[in-house]
Amino acid sequence: MGEFFTSAVLVSTVASGLRLSTSYLFAAVGETFGQRSGVLNLGVDGIMLLGAFGAYYTVLNGGGLWLGMVVAITVGLVMGLAMAFTSVTLQAEQGISGIGFYLFGLGLSDLLFQKLVGTPLPIRGFPELRIPFLADLPVVGEMLFSHSIVVYAAFLLVPVAAFVLNRTTLGLKIRSVGENPEAADTLGVSVAGVRYLTVMTGSALAGLGGAALATELGIFQQNLTAGQGFIAVALVYFGAWRPVGVMAGSLLYGLVASVVLQLKTLGIIPRSASELAAMLPAVLTILALVVAVQRERQPAALTKPYERGA
Amino acid sequence: MAETLPGTGGRGHGLDLAMRGIVKRFPGVLANDHVDFDVRRGEIHTLLGENGAGKSTLMKILYGLYRPDAGEIRIDGEPVQIDSPRRAIELGIGMIHQHFMLVPTLTVAENVALGLASPKGPLLDLAPVARRIEELSEAYGLRVDPGAMVWQLSVGEQQRVEIIKALYRDAELLALDEPTAVLTPQEVEDLFVTLRAMAAEGHSLIFISHKLHEVLDISDRITVLRNGRLVGTVSSADATKAGLARMMVGREVVLEQVRAPVEVGPPRLEIFDVRARGDRGTEAVRGVSLQVRAGEILAIAGVSGNGQRELAEVVAGLREATGGRVLIDGSDVTGADPGQRRALGLAYIPEERMRDGAIGQFTVAENLMLHDFDRPPFARHGFLDFAEIERHCRRLVADFDVKTPSLDTTMKSLSGGNIQKAILARELSANPKVLVASQPTRGVDIGATEYIHRRLLDQRARGTATLLISEDLDEILALADRIAVMYEGEVMDVVDRADADVGRLGLLMAGVRDSGT
């Protein structure tokens, strides 16, 4: 156990924890927007998979990483439009339609992968971007300031999302629509408009989360996300619908996953128990959720379609 | 001086509204049938009618929430199309809905600013909003703290926020849907002062209520609707309570039931120092002691949320008492379940009739049998005797004047008044020793209210001890022998009906103990 607590191992464990948090963070912050406006999108994982494949395929065919990101965002927007149409316009039961979107994304991404790529070829992700000066600080430099641009972007997204939700007129509309859509409607706020916007934004971020995962790993395969999108939905509850809370949850998840990985690599966890150890982050999240969610109130209109005069 | 008042835009005060030949159909219902309605500048015009008469539909059309199937709306003589609340706001129409349109998790200022452009573009800027709220508060006597969270406010304060919201948007015509239903008498007085000040400035006001004395007090003119049709418009000066009630119901109505003297018997319901927690875990009932005797109606008055509902639930066995004792007919039932209490002679008419009093998807017959379905003569050896059940239910429906197409109609398709009569039929059919009646006539039309009141008084004459919980002081004064006023979980005082007056009760409801005048 002693070898775990060497500074080099600790630094690389934290750094890898941050990297592992990234895809959750994109997806969960995106989902926060939707849920704050009253729409639960359970299809996040499917959208992540499609975004991941879109980015991977673009990069594989020489389109470049930036174009890959644009493709992932576009895929997310299209899926978000469809999701918003079912949830907002058709007023579908959100817990059910989201599962449909997930299965659609899971199946389509695999189909496209089998048809268009076949064998998993590696791609090169964004290079490490060392922040001048800060990256040279002892310990923290290596931990926090030697990552790819995707990681920085994910963490920068948190204060931006918090600012939009709390300090802008748009954020006020989002929060009102999620709490009392009827009140917002009587003041001339377009409930459907706000919800389309948040669901599409959230889905675009989910697509980006998938792209982050594929480019960081440098690979695509069937069910690459392995349920990350569902964890992201849970993290929104864990974070009490606040971007900073969601970040805390993502970090917790990423760090625990990273520690488990590290302990496996060092042989501290025996190979026979590695499957069990891999469950640790999920178990931890469930426990944290049980404790955290009991105290917090969800947006009053979450999962409730709005119909004027109904 | 009018020009210096904030929140009154550049258009000048008031507007003339004319709604002509308004028709609105819903599947199976003609909610508005060629209704004409107009409001003049500076006028307080009441829209009066029973539930389902079409008042709310007409107001939702005015506010752009519904589109009329036919008819015309004119503002200052110009025909207008109101296709959304946004358009209504632009035209200077404001609405105070019966269920407040506030976001409880936001502050007062955020609620007011919602949907409006900010001087800082996309960024929220609440400081000027707060300043203007304070100016409006000052000008119209609408005390409220712009920084407070709405969920922390009392109902009266929330209503003030709603009025401020409308004034902030330069509303020149303000429609208030049953604004007094949730207020104490003093709060009603304050509201009327505000409304009169607004009318004096030229604002046009539409007031919706079914409390006749308030209507006569505040209105210039009164328009009565019945079954979606216009019955007539009268000047308040020429109107009487009895006349208005006749217009609303279409027949003579007994507004004040005769309360014959009844010999009171031994105590049937005794409550000693009862304590209980509310849904949020805070103490809602704090040491209440009351006694109700046979042949007596003890009413609990108070603004909603002061522990009355919790107290009723403790007596009914639906909420655990954290302290104290409850006795029914001399037996301690503090730990007993609702079934055991019923066996001792308790009946309960719950406040939320569709949640706690009936099962909407079940038929009328099934609802009437909810307590007795599993005992003879209605069931033997686990099998229901449908013939016997039908016979029993037919008698109840006839006796209690429940208007239903058949016994197999689902409960939820009946009107509120008929649902309540069906619940009353079930609860009173066993001639209970103790009756707990929570808000028995809330949301019920005048005709059914008259009937329910008569039934409660009949039951009193038959020796039932009734604990009546009501927010309607008129109802309490019409029925009660004694009145206990609850405030923040405690009984402020118990007064005899003979010594009770609205002013004193109102003070007690607001938590003010009078100093022996």
Side-chain angles (χ1 to χ4, degrees):
Chain A
M1 198 72 191
E3 52 200 310
F4 180 74
F5 291 101
T6 60
S7 87
V9 173
L10 276 177
V11 165
S12 83
T13 305
V14 173
S16 121
L18 293 189
R19 270 196 295 281
L20 289 172
S21 313
T22 307
S23 47
Y24 295 107
L25 200 47
F26 277 120
V29 170
E31 176 73 6
T32 305
F33 280 110
Q35 291 200 15
R36 280 303 278 270
S37 76
V39 184
L40 174 73
N41 180 358
L42 271 187
V44 176
D45 203 53
I47 300 170
M48 286 178 80
L49 281 167
L50 285 173
F53 177 77
Y56 171 76
Y57 188 67
T58 308
V59 176
L60 197 63
N61 285 284
L65 284 160
W66 288 108
L67 185 63
M69 296 295 138
V70 172
V71 168
I73 289 173
T74 311
V75 168
L77 284 174
V78 172
M79 290 294 288
L81 182 63
M83 180 76 206
F85 182 69
T86 24
S87 303
V88 180
T89 307
L90 301 182
Q91 310 195 346
E93 181 67 48
Q94 292 167 18
I96 304 301
S97 61
I99 293 174
F101 274 82
Y102 160 63
L103 290 172
F104 174 78
L106 176 67
L108 183 63
S109 62
D110 189 38
L111 177 74
L112 291 173
F113 177 67
Q114 301 294 345
K115 287 285 167 199
L116 300 177
V117 185
T119 43
L121 301 167
I123 56 167
R124 195 187 288 274
F126 282 100
E128 193 175 274
L129 181 70
R130 291 176 63 85
I131 309 282
F133 180 68
L134 289 175
D136 299 326
L137 293 173
V139 187
V140 270
E142 198 64 32
M143 273 186 195
L144 307 180
F145 302 110
S146 316
H147 292 286
S148 80
I149 189 154
V150 183
V151 179
Y152 300 128
F155 282 90
L156 268 178
L157 187 61
V158 175
V160 171
F163 185 83
V164 170
L165 282 174
N166 298 319
R167 297 289 173 83
T168 66
T169 52
L170 175 65
L172 185 59
K173 287 182 191 173
I174 293 172
R175 287 183 283 145
S176 322
V177 164
E179 289 288 344
N180 189 349
E182 211 176 358
D185 188 22
T186 55
L187 294 179
V189 175
S190 164
V191 175
V194 168
R195 288 183 170 174
Y196 264 83
L197 182 72
T198 57
V199 171
M200 289 177 70
T201 306
S203 300
L205 288 171
L208 200 55
L213 185 67
T215 55
E216 287 287 290
L217 293 173
I219 201 73
F220 187 85
Q221 63 185 43
Q222 186 199 22
N223 194 16
L224 177 78
T225 53
Q228 285 201 4
F230 288 99
I231 303 289
V233 174
L235 289 174
V236 177
Y237 282 73
F238 174 85
W241 296 271
R242 285 191 291 268
V244 174
V246 167
M247 179 180 75
S250 304
L251 271 175
L252 176 70
Y253 209 90
L255 286 172
V256 172
S258 164
V259 167
V260 170
L261 219 63
Q262 193 67 256
L263 293 177
K264 269 202 295 202
T265 316
L266 294 172
I268 293 171
I269 298 177
R271 224 163 226 300
S272 54
S274 70
E275 298 290 324
L276 276 178
M279 286 166 43
L280 193 61
V283 172
L284 213 91
T285 310
I286 292 169
L287 289 179
L289 268 177
V290 170
V291 178
V293 170
Q294 282 181 343
R295 281 182 290 112
E296 296 294 341
R297 238 188 89 266
Q298 63 180 36
L302 185 57
T303 74
K304 296 195 184 92
Y306 174 68
E307 191 176 4
R308 183 178 284 173
Chain B
M1 102 134 209
E3 292 85 86
T4 62
L5 282 172
T8 47
R11 278 181 299 223
H13 296 300
L15 50 78
D16 282 318
L17 169 76
M19 301 177 85
R20 289 280 169 267
I22 301 292
V23 177
K24 180 68 186 173
R25 285 185 200 88
F26 292 110
V29 190
L30 194 53
N32 281 165
D33 184 2
H34 296 91
V35 174
D36 295 335
F37 179 62
D38 59 69
V39 187
R40 299 175 198 138
R41 205 171 243 109
E43 177 188 44
I44 302 181
H45 193 149
T46 288
L47 202 49
L48 186 65
E50 305 233 69
N51 293 309
K55 299 168 300 193
S56 292
T57 303
L58 192 66
M59 288 302 101
K60 283 183 171 162
I61 288 170
L62 175 63
Y63 200 59
L65 289 166
Y66 292 153
R67 302 295 303 273
D69 297 319
E72 187 186 48
I73 303 175
R74 285 170 179 270
I75 286 179
D76 293 334
E78 296 293 315
V80 290
Q81 295 291 327
I82 307 176
D83 51 11
S84 68
R86 181 173 282 277
R87 181 74 189 127
I89 293 166
E90 282 167 13
L91 289 167
I93 298 167
M95 186 145 311
I96 313 300
H97 301 265
Q98 193 176 357
H99 302 286
F100 295 150
M101 295 293 177
L102 296 170
V103 184
T105 52
L106 301 182
T107 65
V108 170
E110 284 176 323
N111 268 284
V112 171
L114 176 60
L116 293 175
S118 160
K120 289 191 182 169
L123 301 187
L124 268 183
D125 188 7
L126 293 174
V129 179
R131 270 198 303 281
R132 210 168 142 205
I133 290 173
E134 273 161 4
E135 287 166 4
L136 288 168
S137 300
E138 187 72 23
Y140 295 98
L142 297 160
R143 260 175 311 105
V144 70
D145 170 13
M149 301 292 282
V150 164
W151 62 264
Q152 295 174 315
L153 303 182
S154 72
V155 179
E157 287 172 311
Q158 292 187 24
Q159 185 172 69
R160 295 203 278 273
V161 177
E162 284 283 38
I163 296 175
I164 287 174
K165 254 167 69 180
L167 291 173
Y168 195 98
R169 286 165 172 74
D170 297 328
E172 317 221 6
L173 178 146
L174 198 63
L176 301 104
D177 192 356
E178 304 232 0
T180 60
V182 291
L183 302 181
T184 66
Q186 274 77 18
E187 284 175 320
V188 171
E189 273 312 307
D190 291 345
L191 174 69
F192 282 6
V193 169
T194 300
L195 297 186
R196 287 196 184 98
M198 287 169 64
E201 261 181 39
H203 280 97
S204 321
L205 296 165
I206 301 172
F207 181 76
I208 298 175
S209 175
H210 58 252
K211 295 186 182 170
L212 297 174
H213 65 91
E214 286 177 357
V215 169
L216 288 170
D217 182 11
I218 191 77
S219 326
D220 297 306
R221 285 191 299 161
I222 301 161
T223 289
V224 183
L225 298 183
R226 186 170 73 230
N227 294 331
R229 282 193 209 95
L230 176 70
V231 180
T233 299
V234 293
S235 154
S236 174
D238 307 331
T240 61
K241 274 194 193 182
L244 290 174
R246 197 182 322 114
M247 287 173 82
M248 281 168 79
V249 183
R251 62 175 169 82
E252 290 296 331
V253 178
V254 184
L255 289 174
E256 301 269 322
Q257 300 280 353
V258 185
R259 238 165 27 94
V262 167
E263 186 88 10
V264 290
R268 295 279 189 223
L269 173 65
E270 293 162 279
I271 302 168
F272 295 110
D273 196 28
V274 159
R275 295 172 177 276
R277 287 187 205 291
D279 292 337
R280 294 187 176 198
T282 52
E283 191 159 60
V285 181
R286 307 171 185 215
V288 168
S289 299
L290 293 169
Q291 248 193 10
V292 194
R293 298 169 157 299
E296 181 184 51
I297 296 180
L298 172 68
I300 296 188
V303 179
S304 83
N306 276 292
Q308 307 97 308
R309 182 169 63 86
E310 289 82 357
L311 179 66
E313 287 173 355
V314 166
V315 174
L318 299 174
R319 185 178 292 271
E320 191 188 357
T322 53
R325 292 192 304 140
V326 178
L327 273 64
I328 290 175
D329 203 15
S331 312
D332 191 328
V333 295
T334 312
D337 64 41
Q340 292 164 326
R341 295 177 198 224
R342 285 192 175 274
L344 285 167
L346 174 77
Y348 176 47
I349 298 171
E351 174 176 337
E352 298 277 344
R353 70 182 70 102
M354 283 319 286
R355 196 188 66 193
D356 302 330
I359 303 175
Q361 325 295 333
F362 278 22
T363 66
V364 172
E366 284 167 335
N367 271 288
L368 288 171
M369 297 308 302
L370 278 182
H371 300 314
D372 297 322
F373 67 94
D374 63 346
R375 67 176 73 108
F378 310 114
R380 280 179 214 285
H381 314 298
F383 290 95
L384 294 170
D385 182 342
F386 287 106
E388 182 62 30
I389 288 175
E390 186 176 334
R391 212 178 53 74
H392 177 70
C393 291
R394 282 213 181 288
R395 205 185 60 232
L396 285 184
V397 163
D399 281 1
F400 283 81
D401 190 31
V402 182
K403 294 195 182 72
T404 173
S406 79
L407 289 176
D408 297 327
T409 307
T410 55
M411 195 77 159
K412 66 173 193 294
S413 55
L414 302 189
S415 75
N418 281 305
I419 291 170
Q420 192 70 331
K421 284 196 240 171
I423 293 172
L424 209 66
R426 181 184 70 210
E427 298 297 319
L428 300 187
S429 59
N431 190 24
K433 286 183 178 148
V434 176
L435 171 67
V436 177
S438 265
Q439 319 289 355
T441 61
R442 181 149 80 188
V444 167
D445 56 49
I446 293 194
T449 298
E450 174 194 19
Y451 183 86
I452 292 166
H453 283 176
R454 201 168 74 229
R455 277 289 180 171
L456 292 177
L457 289 172
D458 284 354
Q459 214 53 50
R460 168 175 170 267
R462 293 170 74 184
T464 298
T466 302
L467 184 68
L468 168 72
I469 292 160
S470 177
E471 281 156 35
D472 182 350
L473 273 186
D474 295 337
E475 172 168 270
I476 285 178
L477 293 171
L479 298 178
D481 297 296
R482 288 185 300 141
I483 302 162
V485 181
M486 270 185 89
Y487 176 75
E488 294 193 341
E490 291 176 50
V491 171
M492 297 292 291
D493 202 357
V494 183
V495 290
D496 275 335
R497 168 64 184 90
D499 309 330
D501 69 80
V502 173
R504 175 153 176 235
L505 292 175
L507 283 175
L508 289 168
M509 284 162 73
V512 184
R513 273 204 178 83
D514 53 2
S515 41
T517 40

